[in-house]
Amino acid sequence: MQKNVVPTKSDWKISSQTLKANEKIPIAIFIKDKSNKPITKFDTVHEKLMHLIIVSKDLSYFSHIHPQYKGNGEFNITTTFPAGGDYQLIAEVTPHGAGDNSVEKHWLHIAGPVPATVPLVPDRSLTKVVDGLKVTLAFDHIMTDMNLNMTFTLRDAATNKPINNLQPYLGAMGHAVAISKDLKTYLHIHPLTVTGKGPKVTFMTYFPKKGVYKIWGQFQYENRVIVAPFVVNVPEM
Ligand SMILES: [Cu+2]
């Protein structure tokens, strides 16, 4: 389970007057301790000091980017949003010595036409083709309140051959993120092993609450990052 060993707070400053879709939007994130003092030292986790996940409210849009550390608790990045609507920004940092990551969330409204909400319904098949790869997701069991293993299996979509030459992505065989339908639960899921090249990548995770979750597996193959999204229902134990 993720818990904040060092409790944090954050301020978000968005230096754009218009906040329009497809416009470059500079974002500054200030990480502070509970007494509002900047936290200045962070540990590098998966090659970065901060990981920033951005999702649309319906979870149809997903982005995983890495703000630069400016110093004195401030991280900067400039990004764009694909359409109007509400977005949740989720920043993950590990204050130095904390031993566990801290998660700071922020909502942002982007002006412009809002696309129709994509309904979040559990996938009937946990196999899909993404960017030339056939990706299958499997669980040893799926329920709340217990550790479980989830395994992605990657094959070439055209030949069905198992992929044996995955590249490390941010210092691991892959990364996975899960977010609940209500956007209240965020899980960053780590692979069980740091080495290997596929075709199977196993992650251990723990769902604290029942409900529908969207899961994104990220892998690097032939110098590109593959994002494989799945929607699952997690029943109560
Ligand atoms: Cu990251």
Side-chain angles (χ1 to χ4, degrees):
M1 260 188 97
Q2 294 180 334
K3 46 177 170 287
N4 294 350
V5 177
V6 171
T8 55
K9 292 165 77 174
S10 59
D11 283 330
W12 299 65
K13 290 206 176 106
I14 318 290
S15 347
S16 160
Q17 301 295 321
T18 51
L19 287 176
K20 279 189 196 148
N22 300 308
E23 190 177 84
K24 284 186 179 167
I25 298 178
I27 300 170
I29 307 159
F30 300 83
I31 305 293
K32 309 182 297 181
D33 65 18
K34 286 288 175 199
S35 60
N36 287 319
K37 276 209 304 236
I39 293 175
T40 57
K41 276 191 168 175
F42 301 90
D43 288 337
T44 298
V45 176
H46 294 299
E47 300 181 353
K48 304 289 176 184
L49 291 177
M50 175 180 277
H51 299 261
L52 179 66
I53 305 292
I54 301 177
V55 288
S56 57
K57 198 178 178 184
D58 65 358
L59 299 176
S60 63
Y61 173 77
F62 172 88
S63 165
H64 175 178
I65 52 180
H66 301 103
Q68 291 288 321
Y69 187 42
K70 202 179 161 192
N72 206 29
E74 178 180 353
F75 290 83
N76 294 159
I77 195 157
T78 296
T79 191
T80 58
F81 295 80
D86 293 311
Y87 292 83
Q88 191 182 56
L89 286 65
I90 304 155
E92 252 191 83
V93 288
T94 300
H96 179 62
D100 209 347
N101 64 327
S102 191
V103 172
E104 292 292 332
K105 295 179 180 177
H106 184 74
W107 282 97
L108 195 60
H109 182 78
I110 299 295
V114 181
T117 296
V118 179
L120 199 69
V121 277
D123 290 324
R124 294 170 74 181
S125 163
L126 291 183
T127 293
K128 56 187 69 178
V129 172
V130 187
D131 210 355
L133 293 187
K134 190 167 97 179
V135 185
T136 301
L137 177 63
F139 292 87
D140 58 349
H141 51 258
I142 181 162
M143 58 183 72
T144 59
D145 293 319
M146 60 193 301
N147 289 329
L148 54 90
N149 287 343
M150 66 177 197
T151 300
F152 291 86
T153 304
L154 298 102
R155 294 174 174 273
D156 184 290
T159 65
N160 212 34
K161 274 201 193 129
I163 301 296
N164 291 311
N165 55 338
L166 275 185
Q167 297 161 322
Y169 173 53
L170 298 170
M173 281 177 76
H175 291 267
V177 161
I179 299 178
S180 60
K181 188 177 181 174
D182 63 6
L183 286 92
K184 286 186 176 153
T185 304
Y186 165 82
L187 307 168
H188 187 153
I189 306 166
H190 300 283
L192 275 183
T193 53
V194 288
T195 56
K197 293 180 172 183
K200 286 182 189 297
V201 184
T202 297
F203 296 82
M204 192 177 77
T205 191
Y206 181 103
F207 291 97
K209 276 190 243 161
K210 68 173 181 176
V212 173
Y213 287 78
K214 189 157 181 177
I215 298 169
W216 297 264
Q218 291 191 284
F219 307 94
Q220 188 166 312
Y221 177 62
E222 292 183 339
N223 300 319
R224 61 186 198 270
V225 176
I226 313 278
V227 183
F230 291 93
V231 180
V232 299
N233 182 52
V234 179
E236 207 149 22
M237 184 168 72

